Amino acid sequence: MSAAAPVEASGPGSTAAVAITGLRKRFGKFVAVDDLSLEVPAGAIYGLIGPNGAGKTTTFAVISSVLAPSSGSLSVLGHDPVASPQEVRRVLGYMPDSLGVYADLDVDEYLRFFAAAYKIPARSRPGLLDGLLELVALEGKRTARVDSLSRGMKQRLSLARALVHDPEVLILDEPASGLDPRARSELRALLVHLSEMGKTIVISSHILSEIEEVCSHIAIMQSGRIVAAGDTGEVSSLLTGGRRLRARFADGTVEEFTAESAPEQAALLRGLANDDARSLVEFSRVGGGLEEIFLSLTHGGDE
Amino acid sequence: MSRLAAWVNPVLARELAERMRGLRATVMLSAYLGVLGLVVVLVYRNESVTGRGFDGSPVTELATAGEGIFEWTLLFAMLLVLFLVPGFTAGAVAGERERQTLVPLQVSLLRPSSIVLGKIGASVAFTLLLVLATLPLLTVAYLIGGVTLGDILQGTGMVMFTAVTVAALSVACSTFMRRVQTATVLSYGVVLLLCGATFAAYFVVEQIDSDGGFEPADPPRLILAPNPIVALADATADGPDTLTEAFFAPPFSSYGGNGPLSGLKELVTPDQVWSGRLADGAIVDFEVAPDGDIFGVAGRGGGPPDQPSLPLWAQHILIMGALAALSVFLSSLRLRTPAKTER
């Protein structure tokens, strides 16, 4: 399948937490991000997926005011990361792809340090830390040295650090990288919880099942460009020409259907389940998952 | 850390918490004081030579011992600063980069200058603790005699100033180098440049300027101004202020020769020509060495010698202060984000 034109998720009047227009980032002759335009609706969990070298980390570094764009414009809750980086940092929490923790500090000291770095008043810090540690399920590790934590715990601690100033927007670069299935599942639950708290989350990953399960929107990147973007269903439908669904009945027959949207899929399921003539035993999607889309769009692997 | 962090720079508080953890700091401080105590005992035994007084009774020149202890202790503290501070500091920013902890700092609300100053403060703090721990030993010199309280304050102040300036230069090396190893080598290179290269340059210029020995060489002393050891010697080692002082200085006067810093000051201070009026009204020029030794030279003189506008130690403070400020500025600039490339 050839690359599709970008599909913007947010319609007119929608409130974008992060808005990027024509972003381009060059390192010498190498173009890491090329003419990238994206709108992340407020409250969304927005997944940015792509193979290594697609430009995800560079895009995040620009949004987080670490790198200056070569051209293009962007805003985070209305603040320009180049013109007002401090304003952006007040509303944005960034978790880079590397863990980068101070091994000699304990968990409590680590978070207190970042609370001080974000100028949280000293009197507010004890309560804040209690809440954060509870949120990331590290209450029992408060006095543990950071270097004694497992990778999953370190990831959660990094997430707590990104949350220390209660930002409205979270930028999480490969947060599930290197985690075992259980830790990954815990992280997914945590992301959903944060979304329910009203945070806008932009997450990158090349572990597609993670994106598919938790993201309300996705964008697929390849060679510094967005090749598809929108809400998860839209992207899936757009790129597969509708959802291919398979139903297996008690008499052993199998039938395939196509649904253009999630409501249509639900209606189909209701119809089949209520069909007195046949007894439905299995209803599943055939191909067309993000894994398939991802591989088709990115030519199956790294650049 | 929590109470401290509420009041001081967070980077400084965190670094101190990390550095002072465990036995390392305690062992280091104990070892340092042990070695320095040994130096004091050895200098005391060596310097307090017992001679015979006019009446044949034993006389111990304690003032000489006091000055010796003072100068050796101070020199040791200065060498310690020059040796330890680059080692403590070179990893300051490059280490954050290697541990991949720099970006979270850069995207916090800390300003780049806060990060740089916190790093300098942390590097200097432990060294200053060591220098402060030497104060009781310097007080021994004060109690023995031959050293004033002003000398102690001036000397200690000079060592602390050097700790701060070397830390600032080392943080700059650490900010501009990507790897700790490179930053460490560069930092020690800078110290070597300040201490060794200035000396070498001074003596090379002196040789060129000596004119075959017919005229005394007078190389520009500004070459030595960045040298912290020379500046320390200049600030602490005494010389005669007046010709009368030089004339009537006692045999074991404090004008040089009793410690390494005095010796150094003599080495790098050219003789001066002072004029004095004799009892018969004749004016005679005298060549006065920095240690107070006088070489009489007949002839008419022109009064006291031209004094440089600023003593060497003051020139040192100005030059190194400016370099340290420039280092902080450039380091802060380097750490500022958003940047074209990740730093």
Side-chain angles (χ1 to χ4, degrees):
Chain A
M1 180 184 291
S2 62
V7 178
E8 291 306 331
S10 51
S14 69
T15 314
V18 179
I20 305 173
T21 310
L23 175 67
R24 189 177 167 87
K25 180 64 192 172
R26 299 174 65 104
F27 297 101
K29 287 181 179 173
F30 174 70
V31 180
V33 179
D34 192 10
D35 194 26
L36 185 145
S37 296
L38 197 69
E39 276 195 8
V40 179
I45 302 183
Y46 203 110
L48 198 58
I49 59 174
N52 295 332
K56 306 182 298 288
T57 297
T58 303
T59 303
F60 280 6
V62 174
I63 296 171
S64 306
S65 75
V66 176
L67 290 176
S70 303
S71 63
S73 65
L74 65 158
S75 77
V76 178
L77 294 174
H79 305 292
D80 182 347
V82 178
S84 348
Q86 290 293 86
E87 294 309 313
V88 168
R89 287 162 195 169
R90 276 181 226 282
V91 297
L92 182 141
Y94 177 40
M95 181 179 160
D97 57 345
S98 52
L99 279 176
V101 287
Y102 299 103
D104 287 337
L105 295 183
D106 64 37
V107 168
D108 190 80
E109 288 172 327
Y110 180 79
L111 290 177
R112 274 178 198 276
F113 165 60
F114 279 99
Y118 278 100
K119 307 196 186 305
I120 308 290
R123 64 179 178 283
S124 312
R125 289 177 205 163
L128 171 78
L129 262 57
D130 289 343
L132 276 177
L133 290 171
E134 191 185 336
L135 183 71
V136 298
L138 286 175
E139 311 100 303
K141 295 288 179 183
R142 193 166 195 140
T143 55
R145 288 275 283 269
V146 172
D147 61 350
S148 72
L149 301 179
S150 67
R151 186 173 177 87
M153 287 176 182
K154 282 181 184 166
Q155 288 281 30
R156 296 209 300 268
L157 181 63
S158 287
L159 185 57
R161 175 188 53 70
L163 285 165
V164 81
H165 57 303
D166 194 20
E168 291 169 63
V169 178
L170 271 174
I171 305 287
L172 311 177
D173 196 359
E174 305 272 2
S177 169
L179 297 186
D180 61 31
R182 184 187 177 87
R184 218 175 286 166
S185 168
E186 287 169 355
L187 183 71
R188 278 198 295 269
L190 183 56
L191 293 180
V192 171
H193 184 56
L194 288 169
S195 177
E196 286 166 358
M197 289 166 68
K199 312 275 183 209
T200 302
I201 301 169
V202 187
I203 179 173
S204 77
S205 182
H206 52 259
I207 301 168
L208 303 180
S209 57
E210 164 192 296
I211 294 282
E212 197 170 16
E213 279 185 41
V214 299
C215 289
S216 58
H217 297 72
I218 59 163
I220 298 174
M221 277 191 87
Q222 162 80 357
S223 304
R225 289 173 172 271
I226 297 280
V227 291
D231 77 45
T232 311
E234 273 178 4
V235 172
S236 178
S237 298
L238 178 81
L239 296 168
T240 60
R243 298 162 190 227
R244 287 164 57 211
L245 303 160
R246 178 180 292 151
R248 191 162 64 83
F249 299 94
D251 59 6
T253 56
V254 176
E255 279 184 42
E256 287 196 1
F257 304 90
T258 301
E260 293 299 325
S261 64
E264 193 179 322
Q265 179 183 330
L268 177 67
L269 177 60
R270 273 197 303 275
L272 292 173
N274 294 330
D275 186 352
D276 294 333
R278 293 182 295 178
S279 180
L280 182 68
V281 291
E282 188 186 321
F283 187 73
S284 59
R285 186 184 281 192
V286 182
L290 283 180
E291 192 77 42
E292 186 179 300
I293 300 169
F294 177 74
L295 290 174
S296 67
L297 285 177
T298 59
H299 315 299
D302 295 359
E303 294 151 88
Chain B
M1 180 188 159
S2 56
R3 281 180 196 156
L4 190 63
W7 296 99
V8 300
N9 181 314
V11 176
L12 173 60
R14 195 209 74 221
E15 293 263 342
L16 288 181
E18 281 185 298
R19 282 170 198 264
M20 300 305 284
R21 180 148 293 161
L23 283 174
R24 198 179 64 168
T26 314
V27 169
M28 215 164 158
L29 186 59
S30 305
Y32 167 72
L33 285 177
V35 172
L36 212 57
L38 193 67
V39 168
V40 169
V41 170
L42 289 176
V43 173
Y44 181 81
R45 288 176 65 123
N46 191 44
E47 295 279 347
S48 60
V49 181
T50 302
R52 293 282 163 188
F54 293 116
D55 58 354
S57 60
V59 173
T60 302
E61 290 301 336
L62 283 177
T64 310
E67 193 179 339
I69 289 170
F70 172 68
E71 290 197 6
W72 277 108
T73 310
L74 215 50
L75 179 65
F76 193 85
M78 177 60 92
L79 292 176
L80 179 97
V81 160
L82 293 171
F83 179 72
L84 287 183
V85 171
F88 279 155
T89 321
V93 178
E96 296 269 3
R97 206 176 277 125
E98 278 188 3
R99 280 185 306 201
Q100 298 177 316
T101 48
L102 186 60
V103 168
L105 273 185
Q106 287 176 311
V107 297
S108 75
L109 295 180
L110 287 174
R111 298 205 174 269
S113 55
S114 296
I115 298 173
V116 171
L117 291 175
K119 293 287 181 187
I120 292 173
S123 307
V124 167
F126 186 66
T127 315
L128 292 193
L129 178 67
L130 296 184
V131 173
L132 287 177
T134 62
L135 276 179
L137 294 173
L138 292 175
T139 313
V140 171
Y142 175 68
L143 292 174
I144 290 173
V147 177
T148 66
L149 204 58
D151 289 337
I152 292 176
L153 290 177
Q154 208 168 2
T156 314
M158 210 64 194
V159 173
M160 289 184 174
F161 176 77
T162 301
V164 174
T165 51
V166 171
L169 293 173
S170 297
V171 163
C173 295
S174 186
T175 308
F176 283 89
M177 296 294 117
R178 296 199 75 81
R179 297 186 61 79
V180 174
Q181 207 176 2
T182 324
T184 307
V185 170
L186 188 63
S187 299
Y188 279 112
V190 169
V191 168
L192 206 63
L193 198 73
L194 290 176
C195 300
T198 49
F199 248 131
Y202 181 78
F203 288 112
V204 166
V205 174
E206 189 182 41
Q207 287 303 311
I208 295 168
D209 195 42
S210 66
D211 196 22
F214 291 110
E215 284 180 21
D218 188 19
R221 298 187 74 215
L222 194 65
I223 297 173
L224 286 171
N227 190 316
I229 303 174
V230 172
L232 178 69
D234 191 66
T236 53
D238 247 353
D241 292 329
T242 64
L243 195 56
T244 314
E245 262 188 46
F247 253 119
F248 297 104
F252 288 100
S253 73
S254 61
Y255 302 141
N258 300 328
L261 296 177
S262 300
L264 182 63
K265 188 172 181 178
E266 277 178 52
L267 193 67
V268 298
T269 307
D271 293 350
Q272 294 178 340
V273 177
W274 287 51
S275 296
R277 187 185 295 276
L278 301 182
D280 60 1
I283 293 177
V284 179
D285 280 352
F286 295 94
E287 196 178 344
V288 182
D291 62 355
D293 286 347
I294 295 172
F295 310 96
V297 181
R300 293 193 65 80
D306 291 338
Q307 293 290 330
S309 53
L310 274 177
L312 193 72
W313 63 266
Q315 291 176 21
H316 173 80
I317 285 177
L318 283 180
I319 291 172
M320 293 309 293
L323 273 179
L326 185 67
S327 298
V328 171
F329 174 72
L330 291 177
S331 303
S332 304
L333 212 58
R334 172 84 177 163
L335 288 181
R336 205 166 67 176
T337 50
K340 280 185 179 172
T341 54
E342 208 166 287
R343 289 162 170 178

